[in-house]
Amino acid sequence: GEKNIDSYRVKVKVNDAYYGTLKADILAPIGEQSGQIVRFEKLAFKKLCEDLDSLWTPDSDIPSVVFGVSAQQFKNKDFYRYVTETAESYEIDPSKICFSLVEADMIRSGIDWNTVLDSYINAGFTFEVDEFGDKFSIFPYLDELPIKSVCLKKHLLDKMGTNTKTKAYVIGLSKTLESMGIKAEFSNIRKQSEVELLAAIGILPSASWQSPVK
């Protein structure tokens, strides 16, 4: 039968005239070192809003999306103004957009996240923590942060099939997060065996959608 998908995980790539297709794992480090990541992610967000707007029809609502963004963006108050004004110009409900922040990136930034995220939450945006689960760097603060979900590091899933301790660790972590009202998930799930392994412990893989920026 027909499968309805109501949420997507957005991964950005750039089609460069000289270098060809560049994916986020290459773009992000270069962009952060050069200081261009702020400009690049703004362009990506505008492209995202354009894509969401093109998906709207009178008979159906637009899907929810998870959009990866660097912690560096939140040091500049201009980003808040940019995303709210851009979403409004395309008539995109901010509640449809979840910003994804890498845990290690959040820690390195030194930002007071509880204060910074308030204005975004009040505007309707939501947040998740990505690549979560190694040393619990951000874990003690999760009860104070407006975090909707966490994406666990993929290597934990890779070890679960052969390591019973890792499996117990992931199950315990998932239940702890659930008791805090935070959803635990894994992204970049491609194999049916991985889907079945997660389903057995009550964790659903996140949806995925690649939206290129040209």
Side-chain angles (χ1 to χ4, degrees), residues 45 49 82-94 125:
F45 185 81
C49 289
Y82 182 84
V83 295
T84 52
E85 290 180 354
T86 302
E88 182 180 4
S89 68
Y90 286 94
E91 298 184 350
I92 304 299
D93 183 351
F125 296 103

Side-chain angles (χ1 to χ4, degrees), residues 16-41:
D16 184 84
Y18 182 79
Y19 292 102
T21 301
L22 302 175
K23 295 184 179 180
D25 55 351
I26 297 175
L27 288 168
I30 296 175
E32 288 179 354
Q33 291 177 11
S34 66
Q36 291 297 310
I37 193 70
V38 171
R39 176 176 175 271
F40 169 73
E41 287 178 344

Side-chain angles (χ1 to χ4, degrees), residues 17-141:
Y18 182 79
Y19 292 102
T21 301
L22 302 175
K23 295 184 179 180
D25 55 351
I26 297 175
L27 288 168
I30 296 175
E32 288 179 354
Q33 291 177 11
S34 66
Q36 291 297 310
I37 193 70
V38 171
R39 176 176 175 271
F40 169 73
E41 287 178 344
K42 284 182 177 179
L43 292 174
F45 185 81
K46 182 178 181 181
K47 182 64 169 61
L48 169 66
C49 289
E50 289 178 358
D51 287 348
L52 290 177
D53 181 57
S54 69
L55 292 174
W56 181 88
T57 67
D59 300 324
S60 64
D61 197 4
I62 64 170
S64 299
V65 297
V66 178
F67 181 75
V69 65
S70 65
Q72 185 176 339
Q73 288 286 5
F74 297 88
K75 291 184 176 181
N76 191 339
K77 294 181 179 179
D78 178 62
F79 186 63
Y80 171 78
R81 183 171 63 252
Y82 182 84
V83 295
T84 52
E85 290 180 354
T86 302
E88 182 180 4
S89 68
Y90 286 94
E91 298 184 350
I92 304 299
D93 183 351
S95 67
K96 294 290 184 179
I97 299 174
C98 176
F99 290 114
S100 179
L101 292 156
V102 173
E103 181 186 29
D105 195 16
M106 294 177 71
I107 296 298
R108 285 194 301 265
S109 70
I111 292 174
D112 180 359
W113 291 104
N114 198 33
T115 301
V116 169
L117 299 186
D118 282 349
S119 57
Y120 292 85
I121 295 297
N122 290 336
F125 296 103
T126 57
F127 287 86
E128 76 161 26
V129 179
D130 197 11
E131 296 186 25
F132 177 89
D134 264 350
K135 297 182 179 179
F136 289 140
S137 299
I138 206 75
F139 187 79
Y141 310 103

Side-chain angles (χ1 to χ4, degrees), residues 1-8 59-64 204-208:
E2 184 177 352
K3 181 180 179 182
N4 294 320
I5 299 178
D6 58 9
S7 64
Y8 298 82
D59 300 324
S60 64
D61 197 4
I62 64 170
S64 299
L204 296 177
S206 63
S208 177

